[in-house]
Amino acid sequence: MEITVKPLIYGYVRIEDGSSEDDIQQAEQRMKHLARAEGFSYERTFYEYVSGDHSTFEELIAEIQRVEARAVIVPSYEHLSAHPILFQIMVERLSQEASACLWTVEGDAPIGADDATLGGI
């Protein structure tokens, strides 16, 4: 029997004021569904609770470096950052520091890690 190892993907969700538990759970379920459909093994979700604080993003970078994961998924790009310059910096960090690409459940093509499909996997 052949065992197939699926590439790991991690979720990242920025929790905004007024987000309901139901909204958060639905966002995570959509990320997990897309990850499975694209052939990933969904490992876990990192939640950023404090606006302007990126400590959870730092933990995400450290974790994907540690396990050599090559993909991160978000409900939308705004979950990384709504500010275009900060967004670009964060995508570059994922790509350059962790060789990871960024996926979104909104159907956008993955970006980062040289914009290769599946992040070069």
Side-chain angles (χ1 to χ4, degrees), residues 12-46:
Y12 179 83
V13 177
R14 183 174 300 279
I15 308 299
E16 299 293 331
D17 289 337
S19 295
S20 71
E21 186 66 32
D22 189 48
D23 290 340
I24 296 165
Q25 288 178 354
Q26 287 180 12
E28 185 171 2
Q29 289 306 312
R30 287 191 308 270
M31 292 188 308
K32 288 178 178 180
H33 177 77
L34 180 63
R36 282 190 301 272
E38 293 294 337
F40 287 101
S41 175
Y42 193 96
E43 192 64 20
R44 71 175 267 217
T45 304
F46 284 80

Side-chain angles (χ1 to χ4, degrees), residues 12 14 48-58 80 90:
Y12 179 83
R14 183 174 300 279
E48 193 80 71
Y49 290 96
V50 180
S51 183
D53 179 18
H54 296 104
S55 59
T56 302
F57 182 75
E58 299 300 327
L80 209 56
M90 294 173 82

Side-chain angles (χ1 to χ4, degrees), residues 1-117:
M1 179 166 98
E2 185 176 323
I3 297 175
T4 303
V5 178
K6 295 180 179 180
L8 299 176
I9 192 168
Y10 284 80
Y12 179 83
V13 177
R14 183 174 300 279
I15 308 299
E16 299 293 331
D17 289 337
S19 295
S20 71
E21 186 66 32
D22 189 48
D23 290 340
I24 296 165
Q25 288 178 354
Q26 287 180 12
E28 185 171 2
Q29 289 306 312
R30 287 191 308 270
M31 292 188 308
K32 288 178 178 180
H33 177 77
L34 180 63
R36 282 190 301 272
E38 293 294 337
F40 287 101
S41 175
Y42 193 96
E43 192 64 20
R44 71 175 267 217
T45 304
F46 284 80
Y47 296 100
E48 193 80 71
Y49 290 96
V50 180
S51 183
D53 179 18
H54 296 104
S55 59
T56 302
F57 182 75
E58 299 300 327
E59 292 173 22
L60 171 66
I61 293 267
E63 176 67 7
I64 60 179
Q65 287 174 325
R66 184 183 71 78
V67 299
E68 298 181 359
R70 298 292 179 249
V72 172
I73 189 168
V74 292
S76 68
Y77 289 145
E78 289 76 25
H79 279 262
L80 209 56
S81 178
H83 189 279
I85 295 172
L86 182 55
F87 173 81
Q88 188 60 40
I89 290 168
M90 294 173 82
V91 169
E92 287 175 9
R93 289 198 57 211
L94 284 170
S95 183
Q96 294 172 2
E97 294 178 28
S99 299
C101 63
L102 181 66
W103 289 69
T104 174
V105 297
E106 293 184 332
D108 299 305
I111 60 173
D114 299 325
D115 294 332
T117 302

